[in-house]
Amino acid sequence: MRRGESVTEEVFGLRYEFVYRHGHYMRLCKDDSDGLKAEDFSTLQVKMLEANTIPKLLPLEIQEVDLRISLLYRLAAKRMLVQVLKIEGFSRWDFARLLYAIVCALEDSKNYMLLETGFVLRENFIFIGSDWSDVFLTYVPMESCSTGGDVMTSLKSLASQIALKIDANEKEELESWLDLMLRHQSLRDFKQCLRNLMDEKKPAMQEELPKPIWQQNTLNKPAKISIPSGEILGNKPTMDVGGANTGQAVSFTPLSQRLQIFVLAGVSVAASFLWRHYISLPSASTLHLTAGMTILLADIWFVSKFLGMPRYKREQNKPQLPIENNNAMSKLENEPGDIQTHYQNLHLHTTLIPKKGHNATVILGNLRNTLQGPRLEIQIQDSPRLVAIVSDHFTIGRGDANLKVDYVLEEAGVSRVHAEITKSEQGYELKDSGSTNGTCLNGEELVAYQSYLLKDGDEIRIVRQEMIFRC
């Protein structure tokens, strides 16, 4: 089967695409006959980039083949900002942290004699690491870019575009801040405005923090010992350490007479060795140590003699059964177990769920007629399944509690957001979202973040799951 056609775009007169060279890279180059040459670059900036690992910048490699130069930016363990904004929740606090990190990166570039106008401040040229403040920017060390437009204009345009992704319930609160930020004409004022926005979050975050351990009520309460009457020397007395809701319980198992004799013998031998050591080397410190260890051994003997061997159990707030069931269950536990009694009381702890209509035929109705648009044909356990592509940005992956995808693929090796099918003017395009195990189209592995035009009948494979695209 044939592979989909890759979709390439241009920026600042350079064509950019995503390639795989023992790792994921973004490449900038020229398609004309001359291509990029050494004189197109700023020598000073290139030397600074090669000699230093500059924070908040994508690592840059300059590749030259047949006197034609390409810029390679390594994208390992980074996610494109435009992709993250589509699938993850974005609050105004995240907005402030993201822009603040970008402004700090622009200011720090002066320490490496880089120019602010060399940064590409666009969503698809900014990458995110572990969180919103862990940003990586694209810097182009070319003379033409270094003498380009005003950086504040690009920064304000970026802020306006990112603000559109804010959650709907926070957009009104952000509008006043955005209007204030767009009035500033310097990076310092812009940065101060973002700092004020983040400072508003600090009191709220402090209120949400849990109380320190030494202030919690559970430690102020005395240990609650629950030993039923008549069971001090019984089978299993229990102790609740730290309150009723802590989940830490101690149960003591009484020792047999033989084990008690062994414990007493061990304690006596250990005590004799301690005092023998003191007699051979008498001193005040040795006396204190020997006396303390002797008292500890005596405590061990008394605990094992009168309580038994401690065992710790963790209980996760077990739900309380009704009183009638509790009494019945306690009777069952105390009575000797036999098969007849078990089945007579089976209704107390077993519920039978009847199967209703398990042989009934499921009516599909007009299901076939409703899935005539773009869709994926998937074989799951020899049973065909049709998944409609209902959005312009259709995401496929494992997802989690904080990240929703359009189609959840439960299989080992699938990333949280593995791939994406987007609608464009040319049709539907497939893009791997920087997954760990990659995506295949018609048997060939795709380059991360590179868009490929889909055609009817194309085969998509994610790990071991195969899908057929239908339009």
Side-chain angles (χ1 to χ4, degrees), residues 145-174:
C145 295
S146 299
T147 58
D150 182 18
V151 67
M152 287 302 302
T153 303
S154 301
L155 184 60
K156 292 177 182 179
S157 177
L158 176 66
S160 301
Q161 294 175 3
I162 296 177
L164 299 177
K165 308 298 190 303
I166 301 291
D167 294 338
N169 55 350
E170 296 190 6
K171 281 188 176 180
E172 295 183 359
E173 300 178 5
L174 183 65

Side-chain angles (χ1 to χ4, degrees), residues 25-26 50 58-63 70-74:
Y25 287 85
M26 179 176 63
E50 291 178 343
L58 288 175
L60 173 62
E61 299 177 14
I62 298 180
Q63 182 185 49
S70 300
L71 303 178
L72 294 177
Y73 298 88
R74 186 170 180 82

